[in-house]
């Protein structure tokens, strides 16, 4: 069994990545963290919970990660993300239409202490934590909308207050249900960055026997390193993001979407010394999901199959409309990353010490570009592996078959 902690900005391909893990006998999914990117972080958490409920895996913990990039105080979903993933991240498909109804009190998952990993294996409250990316945010709010920077935004509605057991938490007052006088309910508030603590706990308990798979921005992984630098020697990350030999998929055709959301975080993770495998556009664009795949899931005759088929129909249409190269199918970005975490032989990797450009022009290259680090060019220890070759036929067959079997259960 391969232990996995999945960190996702749950859009359509993130959902497919979750399903791939659920359909893989060799995967032990310890927890799913929702972060920002394709959707707001709290939407990602809700999507994660709904998908796990639909597939009968409510036992898997769902946690909230960082809600904005390390360089910003706010995050707004970019129009391009909504165009590919729909307004709700699930292709505008409503899980409730497929029998997914949250039980009473389910929304409290966004308003209770984080789930920690402890030696007993039992769930318990994690130590107090107040992280939302790195510290040192500017006094004036800065908004990230998929990499764009804007000044003068309204201040973030957060206040540092005392809470349970004398701990202090950074609370989103509105989400915690505060009334007009600023009073919040007795339910313990969400701990900003609870998913970050979960990463730390997992690595401290399992070491290199757990893999952190990040299919969104690397803000949570970066925050975990900042919170607990001691985990770096044991930290194994498989990330979906970046491009080394191919064009990017952002408007500039240089940067990849997950990286441009938080280039600073990506750069710090690459340079931290952690063991990183980069599954970028170099290989994900070679692995396509087709309408035939969706038809196979629908043919199972289950609500699960209908949900996946309807959701990916939106994604396939959006990709076809964006680029004629995807007329034959849509890229399986995030599912390939989780597949590689389970079976590294699916890809051929190039060892390199990576970095991310964090500024544009004046000798800085282009912000968000993933490239080899010139300061470590002669360092014999290569901390990153970049996938440049993939057994696309083997992977796409596994992907189709595992999800078909999952839908049919």
């Amino acid at each position: 069994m391969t232990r996995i902690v999945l960190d996702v900005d749950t859009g359509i391909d993130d959902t497919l990545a979750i399903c791939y893990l659920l359909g893989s006998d060799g995967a032990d999914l310890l927890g799913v963290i929702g972060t920002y990117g394709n959707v707001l972080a709290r939407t990602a958490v809700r999507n994660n919970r709904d998908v796990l409920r639909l597939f009968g895996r409510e036992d898997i913990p769902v946690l909230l990660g960082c809600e904005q990039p390390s360089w910003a105080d706010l995050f707004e979903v970019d129009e391009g993300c909504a165009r590919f993933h729909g307004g709700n991240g699930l292709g505008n498909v409503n899980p409730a239409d497929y029998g997914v109804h949250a039980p009473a009190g389910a929304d409290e998952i966004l308003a209770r202490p984080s789930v920690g990993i402890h030696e007993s294996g039992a769930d318990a409250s994690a130590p107090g934590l107040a992280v939302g990316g790195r510290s040192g945010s500017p006094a004036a709010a800065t908004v990230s909308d998929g990499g764009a920077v804007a000044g003068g935004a309204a201040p973030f509605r957060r206040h540092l207050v005392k809470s349970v057991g004398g701990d202090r938490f950074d609370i989103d007052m509105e989400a915690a249900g505060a009334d007009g006088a600023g009073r919040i309910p007795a339910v313990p508030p969400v701990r900003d960055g609870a998913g970050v603590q979960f990463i730390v706990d997992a690595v401290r308990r399992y070491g290199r026997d757990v893999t952190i798979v990040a299919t969104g921005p690397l803000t949570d992984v970066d925050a975990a390193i900042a919170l607990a630098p001691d985990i770096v020697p044991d930290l194994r990350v498989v990330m979906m993001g970046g491009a080394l030999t191919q064009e990017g998929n952002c408007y500039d055709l240089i940067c990849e979407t997950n990286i441009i959301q938080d280039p600073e975080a990506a750069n710090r993770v690459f340079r931290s010394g952690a063991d990183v495998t980069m599954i970028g556009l170099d290989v994900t664009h070679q692995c396509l999901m087709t309408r035939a795949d969706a038809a196979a899931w629908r043919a199972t005759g289950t609500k699960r199959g209908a949900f996946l088929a309807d959701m990916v129909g939106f994604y396939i249409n959006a990709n076809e409309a964006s680029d004629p190269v995807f007329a034959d199918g849509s890229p399986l970005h995030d599912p390939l990353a989780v597949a590689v975490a389970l079976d590294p032989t699916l890809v051929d990797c190039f060892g390199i010490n990576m970095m991310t450009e964090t500024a544009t022009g004046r000798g800085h290259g282009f912000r968000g570009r993933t490239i080899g680090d010139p300061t470590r060019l002669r360092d014999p220890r290569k901390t990153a592996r970049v996938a440049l070759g993939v057994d696309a036929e083997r992977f796409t067959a596994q992907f189709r078959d595992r999800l078909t079997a999952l839908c049919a259960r």
Side-chain angles (χ1 to χ4, degrees):
M1 298 292 287
T2 301
R3 296 185 181 94
I4 300 287
V5 172
L6 186 59
D7 190 285
V8 284
D9 57 334
T10 313
I12 293 172
D13 57 334
D14 305 83
T15 300
L16 296 173
I18 294 172
C19 291
Y20 186 90
L21 288 175
L22 297 182
S24 299
D25 292 337
D28 181 7
L29 184 54
L30 301 181
V32 183
I33 301 165
T35 190
Y36 70 94
N38 293 322
V39 293
L40 298 177
R42 290 172 188 251
T43 303
V45 168
R46 184 166 292 107
N47 290 347
N48 293 337
R49 185 185 57 211
D50 287 346
V51 170
L52 290 172
R53 182 175 296 118
L54 176 62
F55 287 92
R57 292 304 308 272
E58 293 178 83
D59 58 300
I60 297 174
V62 175
L63 302 104
L64 177 67
C66 296
E67 300 191 61
Q68 65 278 329
S70 62
W71 55 270
D73 300 312
L74 288 169
F75 175 77
E76 296 177 355
V77 179
D78 179 67
E79 178 274 334
C81 291
R83 177 154 39 90
F84 283 93
H85 299 275
N88 69 346
L90 302 177
N92 296 330
V93 170
N94 183 1
D97 295 336
Y98 304 84
V100 179
H101 298 284
D107 282 340
E108 290 179 4
I109 195 166
L110 295 181
R112 69 187 185 201
S114 65
V115 179
I117 296 178
H118 298 264
E119 287 304 321
S120 65
D123 294 340
S125 296
L129 179 67
V131 294
R134 299 264 176 160
S135 59
S137 299
T142 303
V143 180
S144 163
D145 60 350
V149 181
F156 207 11
R157 284 196 301 266
R158 294 198 173 209
H159 307 276
L160 195 66
V161 299
K162 279 191 177 298
S163 185
V164 182
D167 288 334
R168 295 175 70 86
F169 304 108
D170 192 15
I171 304 170
D172 184 322
M173 298 295 283
E174 182 180 51
D179 60 20
R183 294 185 294 266
I184 62 174
V187 176
V190 65
R191 302 183 181 193
D192 192 12
V196 174
Q197 183 68 52
F198 195 83
I199 292 172
V200 172
D201 290 345
V203 176
R204 282 180 172 167
R205 179 177 183 186
Y206 296 114
R208 295 179 65 83
D209 288 333
V210 64
T211 302
I212 312 301
V213 182
T215 64
L218 286 170
T219 310
D220 286 344
V221 178
D222 173 49
I225 293 171
L227 179 66
D230 60 284
I231 69 174
V232 168
D234 292 326
L235 180 58
R236 297 182 60 177
V237 178
V238 175
M239 53 162 287
M240 191 280 125
L244 192 61
T245 66
Q246 300 296 309
E247 290 183 339
N249 60 354
C250 297
Y251 301 112
D252 52 49
L253 295 182
I254 294 175
C255 308
E256 185 276 329
T257 303
N258 288 338
I259 300 295
I260 196 61
Q261 300 280 16
D262 198 344
E264 284 78 12
N267 190 46
R268 286 189 291 261
V269 171
F270 279 138
R271 288 177 154 173
S272 68
D275 181 340
V276 178
T277 299
M278 182 177 117
I279 307 300
L281 304 183
D282 311 274
V283 287
T284 64
H285 278 181
Q286 299 180 48
C287 302
L288 303 183
M289 171 182 57
T290 68
R291 295 188 189 279
D293 296 328
W297 304 331
R298 192 180 301 280
T300 63
T302 64
K303 291 182 178 180
R304 295 171 176 177
F307 167 77
L308 287 186
D310 291 343
M311 180 185 68
V312 302
F314 182 98
Y315 191 62
I316 291 172
N317 289 340
N319 276 280
E320 284 184 354
S322 72
D323 194 332
V325 76
F326 297 131
D328 295 331
S330 299
L332 290 169
H333 301 294
D334 299 345
L336 180 59
V338 297
V340 171
L342 299 179
D343 181 5
T345 69
L346 285 169
V347 293
D348 297 319
C349 291
F350 174 66
I352 185 173
N353 288 317
M354 291 291 294
M355 64 168 281
T356 303
E357 300 280 9
T358 57
T360 299
R362 298 184 179 180
H364 292 290
F366 203 98
R367 178 176 168 81
R369 181 187 182 193
T370 47
I371 193 171
D373 183 355
T375 67
R376 295 184 293 157
L377 181 63
R378 293 182 297 277
D379 188 337
R381 178 174 178 254
K382 310 301 182 186
T383 58
R385 288 173 300 281
V386 178
L388 298 181
V390 59
D391 190 341
E393 183 176 356
R394 179 160 64 101
F395 164 65
T396 54
Q398 288 179 354
F399 170 79
R400 179 188 61 250
D401 294 346
R402 292 185 189 188
L403 266 65
T404 302
L406 179 69
C407 290
R409 291 179 185 171

